[in-house]
Amino acid sequence: MKRCELSELSDTEYDVIVVGAGINGAGVEQQLVAAGYRVLIIDKGDFAGGATSKSSRILHCGLRYLAPGKSIWDFVFHPSKFFLACQNARKAMIARSDISLSMKELVRPFRFFFPIYKDGPYLSWQIDSAFKLLNLLGPHDNSLEYQRFSGKNLQKVPFKKWFRDSKQLQSVSVFKDYQFISAERLVIDTIRDAEKMGATVRNYTLMHQPKQLDNGWKVTLKDVLTAKEVNVKTKLILNVTGPWGNCVNQTMKPSIPDKVIGLKGAHIVVKLPEEFSECGIMIINRANEPMYFLPWHEMHYIGLNRTPYDGELDEVMASKDETEWLLGEVNYAFPQLNLKRTDILYSYAGIQPVTFDESDPQGTREVVVHDLELDGIPNVLILTGGPIWNYRHIAKKILKEVSKRCVPTVAKQHPSSGSSEVTKLLRNSRSASVEMNISDEILKKIIIEEQPVYLADILLRRTGIGWDIDQGKSAVPEVATVMAELCGWDEKRKEKEMQLFHQHIKEIYQVQKYRGDSVCD
């Protein structure tokens, strides 16, 4: 997956250009090239550098889909909603089984605890019924291992003493779910397989000045690093840029109506007492929405809130109000923790792209492939919505739409559903841990084979080191030295790269701004 010179692409013709190299862009690229299409995938930033890298990283069982809105009667009086909920829950269970078995290096199981209160929105029998239904809907090769503790058995919950209002705590449900160790490497491995089958792959490449042709598009590609440009042609453009979807559409037609809305979600990262170690927790917060406490490098990241966002998409950070709100919810759920702003190790925020809905400012979770011919832009499709866990199903859905409009031109192949050799080396069978096995040999393979340009590309999106307790700072000198050797950097360039990384981390994670300073300072 070496990064080719932009000049090599000049005047090349493709069947499909995929714009956006997050998880859904990578997934559909893999399916398209396997189906016999000549494909180019580009991203104005790094692979998995947008919404994919800022998610909650849950390979979820689909429990949330079975939540019946305001009351159980919502499903009774609207059976179509119940049917749709079951469909979505089944998709989630299938994806949970598929990915956890085929890419076991990139996911790990953990126990998810869900407290049920007498004054809460759900009763014990409702939760029991939901899990029975999930077991019926999903494959039978990967058990949820569901159990519920109540009465004296509540003592088996390791952090039971920390819950609020023990008199109202009725029981605690526990089930097995999965966590993506690296959603970014999931993207990298998928792109690597597509490139192996013949796809053209390039990060830090911008599509601009698209011009409509009789049978497709003429597109100018611009190298973000060098500002060099070349022209290519394509029969079809796929806009899979997530939150940037409206912006990309507007480069083709400025007046096109919005198709996607971005919901901002913030997380805080803290160190919890030993009793919480390696335990995931799901609560219903006071906004009546699910909130997650997820184990990570002997820490927990906690989130998220969901609020419509129309700010600068390349500069998304957790605000002071958001982190304080999250702290308030944590302390409500576990009053004895009494967490303060100084307990936050770092924070981050991302944008969840959802389908625009005029009737709902928070959009809809529905996954839609829009044909923009209806808006006067033929031979362009845009995906809206699409959670990480569902990327394989979504890719096949888009492939079906592409096949209605464009005929494959090369031989079909079989895509791989497994992890790459580099991922296997990084993980080294550490199924119960989120740690990566880093060595100079592995770093060299990554630098040569996976198109990293900056230190952040390796530390955040190839190895995940940047997500540990010190945000990868201790690894910076070693990685910079290896990168300088292979990329031909002199000492001045090496020092500049290290400074850029530290500044990048400080900005996106709000590091060192919780020790008495305002986040907004």
Side-chain angles (χ1 to χ4, degrees):
M1 204 168 81
K2 293 182 180 180
R3 194 167 186 267
C4 63
E5 292 293 330
L6 190 66
S7 58
E8 297 177 35
L9 307 185
S10 182
D11 297 324
T12 305
E13 296 187 12
Y14 296 97
D15 297 319
V16 184
I17 292 180
V18 178
V19 185
I23 186 58
N24 288 312
V28 70
E29 175 212 21
Q30 183 189 40
Q31 289 296 322
L32 286 169
V33 69
Y37 291 94
R38 293 171 300 171
V39 183
L40 164 68
I41 185 169
I42 58 172
D43 197 294
K44 71 181 182 66
D46 191 24
F47 307 126
T52 299
S53 67
K54 303 293 177 62
S55 76
S56 293
R57 307 187 189 101
I58 306 175
L59 178 54
H60 212 310
C61 64
L63 177 64
R64 66 181 181 182
Y65 291 112
L66 300 181
K70 294 182 179 179
S71 79
I72 190 67
W73 297 107
D74 203 28
F75 280 163
V76 174
F77 293 126
H78 302 92
S80 60
K81 289 186 178 180
F82 177 68
F83 179 70
L84 179 61
C86 289
Q87 281 187 316
N88 288 331
R90 174 170 169 75
K91 290 175 186 176
M93 285 291 286
I94 291 172
R96 174 182 179 272
S97 177
D98 179 22
I99 295 173
S100 65
L101 293 175
S102 65
M103 280 189 150
K104 54 189 176 183
E105 293 86 3
L106 286 176
V107 297
R108 68 162 183 164
F110 70 99
R111 291 204 301 166
F112 228 154
F113 293 77
F114 178 56
I116 303 169
Y117 287 92
K118 295 175 185 177
D119 59 351
Y122 303 111
L123 302 175
S124 297
W125 71 265
Q126 291 175 309
I127 302 301
D128 292 346
S129 299
F131 278 98
K132 287 179 182 178
L133 181 56
L134 285 173
N135 277 323
L136 290 172
L137 292 171
H140 301 294
D141 56 0
N142 197 337
S143 172
L144 288 161
E145 299 180 9
Y146 176 72
Q147 54 186 320
R148 184 164 55 80
F149 298 120
S150 59
K152 293 182 179 179
N153 284 333
L154 273 173
Q155 300 304 321
K156 294 181 180 180
V157 177
F159 48 90
K160 186 261 179 184
K161 71 176 185 180
W162 295 94
F163 281 115
R164 69 169 176 88
D165 199 352
S166 59
K167 292 182 180 179
Q168 287 291 323
L169 183 62
Q170 187 179 63
S171 59
V172 176
S173 291
V174 186
F175 60 99
K176 183 180 77 172
D177 227 344
Y178 289 86
Q179 181 179 40
F180 286 108
I181 291 159
S182 174
E184 297 89 345
R185 281 226 62 89
L186 186 71
V187 172
I188 295 296
D189 286 1
T190 304
I191 288 177
R192 284 182 66 117
D193 185 58
E195 192 264 352
K196 185 178 179 181
M197 290 187 289
T200 304
V201 176
R202 213 169 190 278
N203 57 0
Y204 295 104
T205 303
L206 184 68
M207 178 188 81
H208 73 140
Q209 298 177 344
K211 295 180 180 178
Q212 192 174 331
L213 304 174
D214 291 338
N215 59 345
W217 291 84
K218 180 181 179 181
V219 170
T220 299
L221 303 179
K222 181 177 181 178
D223 189 311
V224 174
L225 307 172
T226 66
K228 293 180 179 178
E229 297 181 353
V230 298
N231 293 321
V232 298
K233 291 181 180 179
T234 184
K235 297 174 185 174
L236 193 69
I237 294 174
L238 279 183
N239 180 353
V240 200
T241 55
W244 289 267
N246 296 331
C247 300
V248 172
N249 284 351
Q250 289 163 9
T251 66
M252 293 174 275
K253 184 178 179 181
S255 61
I256 186 171
D258 287 350
K259 304 297 181 185
V260 64
I261 184 172
L263 299 180
K264 182 181 179 183
H267 295 81
I268 55 174
V269 182
V270 299
K271 180 83 171 176
L272 295 179
E274 184 63 29
E275 295 96 319
F276 291 82
S277 179
E278 294 304 309
C279 295
I281 307 162
M282 178 172 61
I283 65 168
I284 302 300
N285 63 32
R286 286 175 288 182
N288 202 33
E289 292 184 345
M291 184 168 164
Y292 306 114
F293 297 60
L294 295 160
W296 192 254
H297 287 285
E298 299 182 353
M299 307 173 289
H300 278 75
Y301 60 96
I302 302 170
L304 69 178
N305 58 339
R306 297 170 76 248
T307 55
Y309 181 80
D310 60 1
E312 174 55 55
L313 290 170
D314 293 314
E315 298 176 3
V316 181
M317 294 176 285
S319 70
K320 178 182 177 181
D321 288 345
E322 288 165 336
T323 55
E324 289 188 345
W325 182 85
L326 288 169
L327 278 176
E329 292 303 312
V330 173
N331 287 329
Y332 174 74
F334 301 101
Q336 295 180 65
L337 289 177
N338 193 27
L339 293 182
K340 300 178 177 60
R341 287 179 54 75
T342 51
D343 293 310
I344 300 176
L345 299 171
Y346 63 92
S347 67
Y348 64 95
I351 302 297
Q352 177 190 10
V354 297
T355 301
F356 178 81
D357 186 342
E358 288 184 355
S359 65
D360 189 341
Q362 291 204 340
T364 170
R365 290 181 182 272
E366 185 180 5
V367 177
V368 181
V369 182
H370 307 261
D371 186 343
L372 297 189
E373 185 168 8
L374 300 175
D375 295 284
I377 313 177
N379 302 311
V380 179
L381 302 177
I382 177 175
L383 171 73
T384 59
I388 291 177
W389 57 262
N390 204 24
Y391 81 99
R392 290 178 177 173
H393 174 79
I394 291 170
K396 291 174 182 177
K397 180 176 182 174
I398 298 176
L399 170 61
K400 186 176 180 180
E401 294 300 319
V402 170
S403 65
K404 296 176 184 178
R405 298 162 175 82
C406 184
V407 178
T409 54
V410 294
K412 294 183 179 181
Q413 300 178 69
H414 295 286
S416 169
S417 59
S419 303
S420 70
E421 177 191 355
V422 171
T423 290
K424 291 175 181 177
L425 289 171
L426 282 167
R427 288 293 296 151
N428 197 23
S429 302
R430 299 182 178 185
S431 58
S433 165
V434 296
E435 301 296 331
M436 295 288 190
N437 176 39
I438 309 298
S439 67
D440 285 0
E441 178 187 359
I442 295 172
L443 286 174
K444 287 176 181 178
K445 285 184 71 66
I446 290 171
I447 294 166
I448 293 170
E449 298 175 9
E450 297 185 348
Q451 299 191 22
V453 173
Y454 300 108
L455 279 178
D457 298 340
I458 291 182
L459 293 169
L460 293 175
R461 293 176 286 276
R462 304 298 186 279
T463 66
I465 302 173
W467 292 99
D468 66 13
I469 198 163
D470 78 339
Q471 298 86 49
K473 294 172 189 173
S474 59
V476 167
E478 177 188 355
V479 176
T481 297
V482 177
M483 208 165 178
E485 176 189 340
L486 292 182
C487 299
W489 295 347
D490 58 20
E491 196 62 28
K492 185 177 179 180
R493 171 69 187 278
K494 176 183 168 182
E495 287 296 325
K496 181 181 178 181
E497 286 290 329
M498 291 194 289
Q499 290 173 8
L500 284 173
F501 176 75
H502 288 299
Q503 182 62 30
H504 180 67
I505 287 297
K506 185 177 180 180
E507 289 174 355
I508 66 170
Y509 293 150
Q510 298 291 284
V511 178
Q512 298 175 340
K513 289 194 176 183
Y514 298 103
R515 310 298 178 186
D517 296 329
S518 168
V519 173
C520 300
D521 288 348

